[in-house]
Amino acid sequence: MSPASPEPPEARRALGRRTYAWLDERLDLGSVVAAARHKTVPIHRKSVWYYFGGVTLFLFLVQVATGLLLMLYYRPGPDSAFESVQFILAKVEFGWLVRAIHSWSANLLLLAAFVHMFSVFFGRAYRKPRELTWVTGVVLLLISFAFGFSGYLLPWNELAFFATKVGTDMMGVVPLIGKPLLTLLRGGEDVTGLTLFRFYGIHVAVLPAVMTAVLIVHLALVQRQGMSAPEKWESEPPAKRRTMPFFPNFLLRDLLLWVLVLNVLAILAVAAPFGFGPFEWPLGEKADAFAPSPEGIRPEWYFMFMFQTLKLLPARIGPVEGELVGVIGFGLAGLVWLLIPFVDRSPKGSRFVRWSGGAVLAYMVAMTVWGYS
Amino acid sequence: MMTRRFSGLGCAIGGVTLLLLGALPVRGQIPDGDSCAECHAESDDPAFDVAAYYLVDIHARAGLSCADCHGGDPTSTDEDESMDEAAGFRGAPTRLGTPEFCARCHSDPEYMRRSAPGLAVDQLTLYRTSRHGELNREGDSAAATCVDCHGAHDIRPASEPRSRVHPQQVATTCGTCHSNETIMKKYGLGTDQVAGYEKSVHGLSVSSGRDLSSPTCNDCHGDHGALPPTVESSFAVCGHCHVHNRELYASSRKRAAFDDLGEPGCVACHGHHEILAPSEEMLSLDPDSYCADCHDDDGSEASTAILRMRASLDSLRLALERGEIALDEAEQKGMYVTEIRFDLQEPRQRLVRARTEVHGFTAAAVEEICGEGQALADSVIHAAQGALDEYRFRRSGLAVATLLISAFAWALYRKIRTLD
């Protein structure tokens, strides 16, 4: 029997053309490709910030993929969750890698989302007509927080158990809705196995569904309205405005960055499967409600600025509990942040809003560093 | 109208509540109408620290007043009337009379059943068998009585860390007299027992709070019937906790030999009071070792057995150390080795068993247990090495992946440059 001769390039190209034609006939791909070719991306000094949205999206896709793989072996429940994570780490082929990438990717996702959000804020990319893009973006960040908080409990280890207890306790101080919300989330008065089941359901079903829906709206808005450009770029005559085609030039750049981020993820996962410094997730001991709370309970780094603030507040501020003042304060600040496009409506941008945003960023960084020092 | 009625009702309820709360006894508060407490509260003498009594003493917590122990009429404010011996006033006991004074209640089963049913009532009987009790009977007022160990008016439950008889305080309590050269000189006793005990494996275990069930003075010498263990009884005393060691020693050839020599079993090798943590080094024929007191390194059956036991114990210990080092290294490199580390418990347990088996003085038995432990330790070392190999595999895999990703990234970069 003679060996099969390799297919000539012309034949391969012909097969590709035929497949495209078959799909085009049914899906009208031509209009999509034409639209993509027509779409351009502004080129200016701040173009680099455009890529962080794409990186956040890529890391979300990594989360979905690794999360699905972890679900194959993870078994929720107070008697099985910790053991199944142990099993994933010790027995499942490349289980350690999947878990490490899931954990690292979650942290990098939050980091990229923060960078993306502040670059949008300081570039005033939220201005008309992109108010809703900003709102959906902030909602996506809040959903990412919820992902991080609910996922932290799932290994059912000592640190996660007590950190969840402290975190949900804070929720309980909110007047009127605090207690019912706490009971609903915990499945009772205390953090128990029921809480684990609820957090698992929220983490793998509720949040992904909501995130996907909001993400589709966010991406649709970006596609519909195009990339926001600095006011200076927009004020230049059309002939002087530099742009690049979205497809393939910008998309290939995005892809290049995604590939590099993937490599960074791989390096981090192999070098530090359980993280290091503020990014640390040791499995440790199994959760035990009757054990004394371990020393050094602290939240994930992205909650640290809030945790540190609440720690510094006195027990009472006037007639009100200090913790309540802190929780309500953060709630109101979040609401203002969400509504920034409607607060800053002046054509040139409010200097007060810009400086306030700078102060918020400086405060978050300072409190986070303080929390770890 | 309605509001006024409700506010009146609220005031009435509040007033009654306050009255009821005021009527409840408060810990540390001197009761009203107790003339003993009221007069003695004004005294500067610490022996009459009435406030401290009502704050901490277990008897006060049980509701006992001064008159319950000392007699008299606390309702009378007249000194002669309230402390009238004809009316039952007993006053403060003498040192010699203290045991009987306390025993009025503590040796009365009927009374103790009502107030503290879990407490023994044989303290006085046991005390009389003790050296302290003997000296007391002989009229030695310096001999320890109840108050020397328990205190007089500030007696706390033994479970409270500040109690004189809490495990962490017992050595200090005994040492008050037994570490005092002036007091002990009269009895011809040394004063280094507490200092030695504090350095011992038992003392360190108790003082660090690691294990409060570790023995302290009263666990070996008895509580109320305090007597030093004799040569014969030391074996039984230690064996009370070290059961396997005792059984092995009892059935060994050594017991008869030690008995013939008049050597107290356990104490001969481990000492007393300053019992340091044992180690393999104790099994040695070096001139300053315990074994060398009787055995020379002459190739005899006994000396060979000593060296064989030592060699097998050392070998297992080193294997465990190698396993620990390999696991630490793997863990430090980010490998998950918790399960493998758990497997190290079995060979570690074998080492404990083998060390215990030494008390049977049979080399073959020690070697057999060490052999089992060695095999288990070897499998842990093998698994730890596997984890390190896996780490190297991961690094190689990462290098290959990085190479491929970099090549792809380079190709993308070239493509972008071409497009631009």
Side-chain angles (χ1 to χ4, degrees), chain B residues 318-320 322-323 326 340 344 376-386:
Chain B
L318 287 171
L320 286 169
R322 277 204 307 279
I340 310 174
L344 211 55
L376 291 164
D378 285 345
S379 74
V380 170
I381 293 169
H382 183 71
Q385 291 297 343

Side-chain angles (χ1 to χ4, degrees), chain A residues 51 244-259, chain B residues 408-409 411-420:
Chain A
Y51 297 101
M244 76 165 89
F246 176 80
F247 181 82
N249 300 47
F250 185 79
L251 208 58
L252 282 177
R253 281 176 165 79
D254 245 351
L255 187 61
L256 175 60
L257 195 58
W258 290 15
V259 166
Chain B
F408 182 56
L412 272 176
Y413 175 73
R414 295 296 304 166
K415 178 72 180 168
I416 291 165
R417 296 283 295 192
T418 313
L419 285 171
D420 288 348

Side-chain angles (χ1 to χ4, degrees), chain A residues 20 34 111 123 147 164 176 199 219-221 229 306-307 320 329 333 349 360 372:
Chain A
Y20 176 79
L111 195 63
F147 260 120
T164 304
L176 298 174
F199 272 47
L219 292 176
L221 286 168
M306 288 190 261
F307 181 73
V320 191
V360 166
Y372 283 106

Side-chain angles (χ1 to χ4, degrees), chain A residues 86 96 249 253 259 263 273 283, chain B residues 334 336 394 402 405 409 419-420:
Chain A
Q86 278 188 319
W96 65 273
N249 300 47
R253 281 176 165 79
V259 166
N263 204 0
L283 190 57
Chain B
Y336 185 71
R394 289 181 186 183
T402 303
I405 292 172
L419 285 171
D420 288 348

Side-chain angles (χ1 to χ4, degrees), chain B residues 12-33:
Chain B
I13 293 170
V16 171
T17 309
L18 282 174
L19 278 172
L20 286 171
L21 284 173
L24 288 173
V26 178
R27 197 171 148 192
Q29 187 185 347
I30 296 168
D32 289 332

Side-chain angles (χ1 to χ4, degrees), chain A residues 201-218:
Chain A
I202 291 168
H203 192 77
V204 305
V206 179
L207 291 176
V210 179
M211 181 99 165
T212 306
V214 182
L215 187 61
I216 287 170
V217 175
H218 188 74

